[in-house]
Structure formats: C-alpha cells, structure tokens
Amino acid sequence: MIRKILVANRGEIAVRVMRSCREMGIQSVAVFSEADRSAMHVRYADEACFIGPSPSSESYLNIDKIMDAAVKSGADAIHPGYGFLSENAEFARRVAEAGLIFIGPSPDAILAMGDKLTARKIMMDAGVSVVPGTRDLIEDEDKLKETADSIGYPIMIKASAGGGGKGMRLVREESELVSSYRRARSEAGSAFGNDVVYMEKYIESPHHIEFQVMADEHGNTVHLFERECSVQRRHQKVIEETPSPLMTPELRAKMGEQAVAAAQSVNYVGAGTVEFLVDNDHNFYFLEMNTRLQVEHPITERVTGVDLVKTQIMVANGEELPFKQEELTQTGHAIECRIYAEDPKNNFMPSPGLVKHITEPLGLGVRTDGYVYEGYEIPIYYDPMISKLIVWAQTRGEAIERMKRALYEYKISGVKNTIPFLKRIMEAEDFASGNYDTHFIEKNPEVLEIPSDCNQECEDMALFIAYLDYTEKMKKLVSEPTEVEKHASSPWKEFARRKSVLRL
Ligand code: MV4
C-alpha cells in the first residue's frame, strides 16, 4: 500500500503530482535544491528534504541524494515527473533495489526504448509500422551509398542514443552523404558516449502525433487517444491539442492499436507515450516511445476525464486499470499552451528573475498548471517553462476562442514570457483551419512578429516614475522635512497629472 510518495522533481510537475497525492490521501515529500528553498513544490508538500546545490547535476540528477531523502523520509514510492531522472533505467533499478516502488515502467522497458535503434527493431518485430530505413546500425562506409540508394533521398541519419531531435542529420543528396555520416557519428560519440547511428527515409512535412498509453501489471493495456504536437520551435513543443485536426476514426483505430502493440512488446507498465510521424496521406510511422508522464498530459485528462497521475499511482500499487478500452471516450476539444519565461522578441532568450505580478486566467473550461507566485524569483538553473494553460470547449473553434480569452486574462510582469507569441499563433489562419504540420512556424513567420505591448510599456514607465518620485522624496526628507509634509497632503493630484502626461 502506497502511503507516502517522494516526488523527485520540481516546478509545475512536482505540484501536479502532489495534487493527486492529496486527493488520494497519500503523503507527499518534496526534494529541493539551494535555489528552490522558497519554491511552490516545497510549500505544497507535507514534508521537504534538502538535496544540495542549485545545479541539477548536484541535486535533482543526483541518484544517491534522492535515494537518501526517500529512505530518511520513509517514503514507499518515488514519482519521477518528467525530465531529470524520469527516463533513467539506473535510477528505476536503484529505487527497486531499495525496496521502494518506482512509479513508472521497468528498467528493462526504459532501456529498450531509450536506445532508439533497439526500440526500432522491437517495433519491427511486433508488426508496428516504422519509418522505412535500416534495421541495424551502419558500422562502416562500405555500404553507406548502397543503403542510402535503397532507401531513396532525402534520408536522415539518426543517433541511436539521441531522440527528441538530438543527434539527427538530414541528407538531401549523395554528395553530402559521407561527410554527414562522419559528423553524425563523431557528434553522437561526444554528446552521448555512443556513436551508433542508423538511417531512415526523410518524411518531408509530417505531423507529430502521439498516443497516450496506460498499462497495468495484470496484462491490461489501453490507449487514451492522440495528442497533436506539431506546433514546435527548435524541437520544443509550443502548443498541443486533442483530438488532432488530421485524425479520422479509421486512422485513430489503426494508430491506437499499434500504440498498444508497441507498449505490450516491452511488457510496459504505467503511463507511456508512443510518438508517430504522420504524413498528409495518413501514412504513419513509429518514431519513439517516451517512458514517462508527458508535459502535455492534461489535454488527455480533459477530454477523457481520467486523472493520469492517479492512475499511475494505482497501477504502481499493483491495482488493475479502472477502465477498459471500450469505456474510454473523447469528449470535446482541449488545447494546451506552454508558457516559458523567455523573450519572444529577443530570440526566446531565457528571462529568469522576480515575478512582480501574476494574474492567472479563470472561468469556464480553463485550467492552469503552474508553480509561480507573486514575489517568486524564477531561478536560472532549470527549464524556463513556468506554466501550462489548458482550455476545454465542446468544439475546436470554441476552444480556440476560449484560449484567446484566457491568454488575454493572463498577466505576468517582471519576467518576459511567451504569452504574446501564443496569442499570435491563436490568430494565425493555418492554426484556425487546423491545416498545419511540424513546419508551422517556418511557414507562418508572422507569428514571430510580436507587437509592442502598450500596457506593458506604461506599466514599466509607471514603475520608473514611481521610483524617481520616491528618490526625490527621500532627498527632500533628508534636507527639508517640512516640504515633504506639504507635498504629501495631495499625492493623488500629482499622480493624475503624471498619468495624463503618459497618455500623450
Ligand atoms: C524525422 C523527421 C522526418 N523524417 N524522421 C525530430 C524529433 C525526433 N523525435 C524526430 N524528429 C524528426 N524525425 C524522419 N525520418 C522529422 C523530424 C522532425 C520533427 C518531428 C516531430 C516534431 C517536430 C519536428 C521538427 C523537425 C523535424
């Protein structure tokens, strides 16, 4: 029986996991680094353990420190969240060896899916459709040309230890082949300590569509439909939605069946995500499987009504899945916008610092998963994602209008953020029509043109003037205290005059 869970993570996902723990009557334990002393997940948890210096390599990525915190706090399970140690097979093994429950799949499943070439082979043998290409690694340059010719240009050379866009190389013609191959291997070797590469046909303008899967220890595996994740910038997702505008009931049935087969082929237990590339002719290909809860899980929760974290915990506790495939349905439409503390007017430069003001949107069909509060200082050490805004409505069109409304209500000052960029995407015709693929941002460069925010400029100027006024008053206070008293008698008159100056 799980009674206490250590959450080996920080930020919004740590809070998200603890919320389900609270609803289930399970105690939560936070871990925190030096930079996270005043972080929300520490305040929310029932207990908190300090685990070391701010850099994640010395805290959130340090297996020994997290195991120590788990044992000391008497936790009986560990939830890894996403990122950090969530897809680290060694960590999953250490948790089990300590007699604790890892809320996630087995170390073997993590290892198999972590190696992209191994995953590809397993999928081929399980009858899952993979991108046309090689079955084995490309060991030398002898058969390089032959292999590329048999696949047909353009091709992609991918690092087996890569994934998520890391260690990939596009080769458009034979003249680039040998140099690209050499560079791919040497880059993979230095980045991952593993220079195994393989070759795939390049799919020109694909959609990135993923399926949520969930499996228990009793042989039950289901899928919870798709998420359309094609709106990406530099391999970072920006917006996700479900259902996918491209999907048909036939395609969904075929892809869902293969997603379940993919999970079963590695005896998967827990929540996982099977990623596919889909072309406009509805051909689909397995890309990789993520063996963790994903950032974008809330849109699936909203259309299916399933609490995915609660289900993860139940499954980790040895219980049977509380639903069968036939009982799962999609209702309405959900969209998620990821909000980053980055400056969209300055090449998405990270913008850490003090959050002077935050007002989050509320109202019908709106959910925010965040962790930032007024007066909180966003540290420089971690991922700049600060919040996820999730809306639901009965139709896709209404969901877009609701997202626009919620983005209008969202106010964050002190740190630059991507809300203006998200507003631009919501206004784009290709987004409204649902006619977009993974090249959406390149094809719609106007979404990167951020209008100057008049309100923000006025706010900044008002703060500046208030500061000047304060220093002036302080000077007078020191030199001639009676003058200050005279001024202080009508401060509002003064302010009104300044406001009218601002309007010019
Ligand atoms: C591809 C591809 C086209 N053809 N593989 C990027 C992330 C990683 N998971 C795999 N990626 C891609 N693999 C073949 N054979 C195009 C991409 C790709 C992409 C995929 C999903 C979402 C956004 C993307 C942006 C650029 C390239």
Side-chain angles (χ1 to χ4, degrees), residues 401-473:
E401 292 311 313
R402 185 160 285 165
M403 183 60 86
K404 288 182 187 168
R405 184 269 289 176
L407 288 166
Y408 163 81
E409 288 180 15
Y410 218 138
K411 303 285 177 211
I412 302 173
S413 64
V415 297
K416 302 278 196 312
N417 63 76
T418 54
I419 291 172
F421 171 53
L422 297 163
K423 285 177 178 166
R424 294 288 289 151
I425 297 175
M426 286 299 135
E427 288 160 4
E429 220 166 277
D430 281 352
F431 188 81
S433 65
N435 176 26
Y436 68 86
D437 56 44
T438 48
H439 300 297
F440 171 76
I441 293 175
E442 294 142 72
K443 288 177 184 166
N444 296 271
E446 77 278 3
V447 299
L448 293 165
E449 288 164 22
I450 311 297
S452 58
D453 182 348
C454 201
N455 284 330
Q456 190 59 55
E457 277 166 22
C458 287
E459 233 171 74
D460 290 348
M461 213 184 297
L463 273 170
F464 179 68
I465 290 169
Y467 174 75
L468 278 185
D469 183 59
Y470 170 78
T471 52
E472 279 304 301
K473 277 185 181 159

Side-chain angles (χ1 to χ4, degrees), residues 131 156 158 163-166 168 200-204 206-208 229-230 232 235 275 277 287-288 438-439:
V131 186
M156 277 201 119
K158 293 188 175 183
K166 283 176 281 176
M168 302 189 322
E200 279 182 358
K201 170 125 197 90
Y202 178 64
I203 311 296
E204 285 283 354
H207 286 248
H208 171 130
C229 304
S230 295
Q232 305 206 359
H235 299 299
E275 291 184 8
L277 289 181
L287 205 52
E288 46 194 77
T438 48
H439 300 297

